[in-house]
């Protein structure tokens, strides 16, 4: 890819795990991400500001797994729909907190929600978001997923990207791209520099994001770059069209 500016409007998809503090699960002994890590959020704000300085418009969508995953709370007392509702609320909480950190870091921002909680966060609308991006130079953070149960936060991200005319989706994760198997379990796993939509959708061993979300990206021809969040300048370099992580196109 060229080193020239390739993308004007970028959607950054952050999982809830990327916003949480690292803790140890007392039952398994494994690392988990819980609560909200304001210092991590401050670091993300600094990386996002680099895009603003390049006049790149940026939309951020957030997951909620650091607080609640719908599938984790579903049981005989909580239906899958009710679990999804809890997960949606968790994404709104992350959007609110992330917006606070961005504002206190001096970044023009509007945190919004796909569901109505007017006492705490602005309601997402297409027209307001376009105005904020184009006229106010604000980062727009969207919580609430797609606004409906039954859809993943990946679907919420691609719905926002297609609606708002984003040129690129960046999925920031804990790994530096997409592999042919789990690199944590398999030291010999091979990283892909690029993938086509068809392979990413049909190969069960390849996990980029929700397959329905990938289908939406393919339908609208929006490239997706999967990269490591915590490496300095990764987000900027991806938005500038440099070869970072794995690109699906």
């Amino acid at each position: 890819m060229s080193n020239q500016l390739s993308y004007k409007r970028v959607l950054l998809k952050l999982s809830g795990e990327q916003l949480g503090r690292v803790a140890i699960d007392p039952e398994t002994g494994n690392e988990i991400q819980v609560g909200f890590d304001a210092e991590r959020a401050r670091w993300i704000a600094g990386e996002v500001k680099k895009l603003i300085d390049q006049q790149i418009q940026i939309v951020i969508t957030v997951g909620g797994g650091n607080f609640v995953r719908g599938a984790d709370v579903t049981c005989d007392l909580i239906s899958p729909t009710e679990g999804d509702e809890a997960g949606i609320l968790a994404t709104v909480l992350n959007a609110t907190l992330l917006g606070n950190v961005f504002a206190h870091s001096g970044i023009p921002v509007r945190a919004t929600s796909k569901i109505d909680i007017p006492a705490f966060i602005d309601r997402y609308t297409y027209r307001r978001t376009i105005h904020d991006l184009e006229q106010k130079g604000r980062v727009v953070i969207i919580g609430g997923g797609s606004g409906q149960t039954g859809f993943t936060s990946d679907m919420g991200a691609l719905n926002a990207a297609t609606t708002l005319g984003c040129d690129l989706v960046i999925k920031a994760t804990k790994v530096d791209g997409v592999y042919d198997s789990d690199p944590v379990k398999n030291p010999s796993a091979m990283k892909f520099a690029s993938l086509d939509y068809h392979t990413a959708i049909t190969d069960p061993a390849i996990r980029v994001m929700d397959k329905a979300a990938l289908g939406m990206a393919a339908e609208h021809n929006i490239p997706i770059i999967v990269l490591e969040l915590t490496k300095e300048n990764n987000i900027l370099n991806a938005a500038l069209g440099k070869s970072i992580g794995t690109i699906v196109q």
Side-chain angles (χ1 to χ4, degrees):
M1 297 178 70
S2 160
N3 284 346
Q4 300 301 310
L5 177 60
S6 298
Y7 304 106
K8 177 183 177 182
R9 182 173 297 164
V10 171
L11 185 138
L12 173 63
K13 201 275 182 182
L14 297 173
S15 70
E17 287 81 358
Q18 298 303 307
L19 298 173
R21 301 186 309 273
V22 176
I24 302 298
D25 186 329
E27 294 184 2
T28 66
N30 296 329
E31 283 190 355
I32 55 175
Q33 286 72 38
V34 298
F36 186 85
D37 187 340
E39 287 306 314
R40 166 67 64 84
R42 188 205 301 269
W43 187 87
I44 293 170
E47 294 300 296
V48 167
K49 186 179 184 300
K50 297 173 183 178
L51 275 69
I52 298 171
D53 292 343
Q54 295 289 328
Q55 285 76 54
I56 300 170
Q57 298 169 8
I58 184 160
V59 179
I60 300 176
T61 64
V62 289
N66 51 322
F67 289 117
V68 175
R69 282 184 173 277
D72 291 343
V73 297
T74 297
C75 61
D76 59 336
L77 300 175
I78 300 172
S79 71
T81 297
E82 291 164 337
D84 278 356
E85 289 172 344
I88 288 171
L89 289 170
T91 70
V92 176
L93 182 54
N94 273 331
T96 302
L97 293 170
L98 191 63
N100 291 339
V101 172
F102 273 48
H104 285 288
S105 300
I107 294 177
V109 62
R110 187 191 297 272
T112 67
S113 168
K114 287 287 190 76
I115 59 173
D116 286 317
I117 314 179
F120 296 104
I121 190 170
D122 289 339
R123 183 66 157 88
Y124 167 87
T125 70
Y126 167 79
R127 289 175 181 80
R128 178 185 291 154
T129 299
I130 293 297
H131 181 75
D132 282 337
L133 292 170
E134 295 183 350
Q135 305 300 321
K136 297 295 186 180
R138 289 174 176 148
V139 174
V140 178
I141 302 171
I142 305 174
S146 64
Q148 303 177 67
T149 59
F151 296 94
T152 64
S153 58
D154 284 340
M155 279 294 289
L158 264 298
N159 175 257
T162 56
T163 301
L164 297 169
C166 295
D167 308 305
L168 172 71
V169 171
I170 297 174
K171 181 170 183 178
T173 71
K174 62 183 179 181
V175 294
D176 62 347
V178 180
Y179 288 76
D180 61 355
S181 60
D182 187 341
V184 176
K185 298 178 181 178
N186 178 17
S188 300
M190 182 186 73
K191 189 180 95 171
F192 297 100
S194 64
L195 285 167
D196 60 80
Y197 293 119
H198 178 75
T199 302
I201 292 169
T202 58
D203 189 333
I206 295 174
R207 297 180 180 179
V208 178
M209 58 169 50
D210 177 270
K211 301 293 186 180
L214 281 172
M216 185 179 293
E219 180 180 351
H220 293 270
N221 198 29
I222 301 175
I224 300 168
I225 293 179
V226 181
L227 51 73
E228 183 180 358
L229 172 65
T230 56
K231 186 173 181 180
E232 188 174 0
N233 293 324
N234 258 5
I235 295 170
L236 173 64
N237 287 333
L240 291 176
K242 298 181 181 180
S243 295
I244 301 294
T246 301
I247 185 167
V248 183
Q249 60 184 351

